[in-house]
């Protein structure tokens, strides 16, 4: 009796589906925003805060985007900084189970002096490779991974570029997309694999949580 009762509770829990509530808002000027909390559809696992900023070599902001909303486990990305002789890109997708996820700090300069790594350093407009130049750069110690970015925007602004350079060790293959002011953006980040046995506790928890949801 108790067992079948528990069974029914489990079935009804699975049937109802757990749904999360997240604040929804976006900003193109600052790394923060406030909005109303809304219920996420069952395809979402968690709440996210997303931040992307691109700057030219002089430090002039090309674009900044911040948003809060519903997300999925595979969206999560620890703060990554990508740089080369052309561009600096900061990106972060913070995940949490409460309505407002707080962004982690970006890795600060000169903090992790490690061995120096040499990476390709290029920028090509309207292309998805950099075959025309074989420039390289030596990455600073705090940016020990070679990385590439494939960037596309469609809508009011149509821009497409491929660039290679150095990224912080938090770099992982990921796709970040966002919409602002009538334009849809997609940024694909590719990182050269380095051996790492470290698992973030939050990721382990997220995986465990996803397994529980599947049961
Ligand atoms: C939040 O919801 C309230 C009530 O539904 C509404 O008046 C307000 O405009 C909403 N705020 C935002 C930022 O959407
Ligand atoms: C990248 O560098 C190339 C060649 O130096 C230049 O033509 C291009 O405008 C630069 N792009 C950006 C976004 O700075
Ligand atoms: C890239 O494409 C855009 C839009 O199609 C165009 O305006 C721009 O001149 C192109 N740039 C290069 C370097 O071909
Ligand atoms: C870049 O390197 C590749 C392979 O080493 C070579 O085939 C190509 O000609 C080089 N390109 C330039 C522009 O030097
Ligand atoms: C990341 O993407 C690159 C390029 O597609 C690929 O070579 C590499 O194996 C990927 N790394 C991981 C960990 O999936």
């Amino acid at each position: 009796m108790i067992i079948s009762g528990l069974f029914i509770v489990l079935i009804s829990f699975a049937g109802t589906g757990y749904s999360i509530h997240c604040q929804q808002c976006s900003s193109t000027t600052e790394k923060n925003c406030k909005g109303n909390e809304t219920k996420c559809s069952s395809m979402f696992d968690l709440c996210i805060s997303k931040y992307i900023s691109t700057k030219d070599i002089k430090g002039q902001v090309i674009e900044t985007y911040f948003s809060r909303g519903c997300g999925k486990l595979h969206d999560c990305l620890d703060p990554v900084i990508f740089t080369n002789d052309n561009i600096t890109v900061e990106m972060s997708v913070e995940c949490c189970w409460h309505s407002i996820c707080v962004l982690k700090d970006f890795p600060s300069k000169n903090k992790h002096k490690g061995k120096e790594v040499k990476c390709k350093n290029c920028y090509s407009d309207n292309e998805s490779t950099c075959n025309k130049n074989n420039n390289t750069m030596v990455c600073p110690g705090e940016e020990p991974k070679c990385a590439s970015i494939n960037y596309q925007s469609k809508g009011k602004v149509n821009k497409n570029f491929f660039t290679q350079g150095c990224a912080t060790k938090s770099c992982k293959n990921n796709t970040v997309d966002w919409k602002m002011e009538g334009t849809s953006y997609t940024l694909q980040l590719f990182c050269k694999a380095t051996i790492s046995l470290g698992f973030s506790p939050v990721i382990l928890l997220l995986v465990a949580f996803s397994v529980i949801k599947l049961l």
Side-chain angles (χ1 to χ4, degrees), residues 23-26 32-33 48-49 66-70 99-101:
Q23 218 184 74
Q24 312 273 347
C25 60
S26 67
N32 198 2
C33 63
I48 59 171
S49 287
F66 178 87
S67 70
R68 298 187 193 285
C70 304
S99 162
I100 300 175
C101 308

Side-chain angles (χ1 to χ4, degrees), residues 93-151:
V93 182
E94 190 62 35
C95 295
C96 67
W97 288 306
H98 47 85
S99 162
I100 300 175
C101 308
V102 178
L103 288 185
K104 287 195 196 85
D105 290 337
F106 278 89
S108 58
K109 292 271 170 199
N110 307 319
K111 219 179 167 182
H112 312 284
K113 283 285 174 212
K115 80 168 187 207
E116 286 182 335
V117 175
K118 200 179 193 185
C119 299
K120 282 194 167 177
N121 172 16
C122 70
Y123 179 97
S124 344
D125 265 320
N126 301 342
E127 283 186 57
S128 54
T129 57
C130 277
N131 289 334
K132 285 189 208 116
N133 99 38
N134 286 337
N135 294 345
T136 58
M137 67 188 284
V138 173
C139 302
E142 70 272 12
E143 293 177 354
K145 273 192 179 177
C146 296
S148 317
I149 285 178
N150 196 356
Y151 177 105

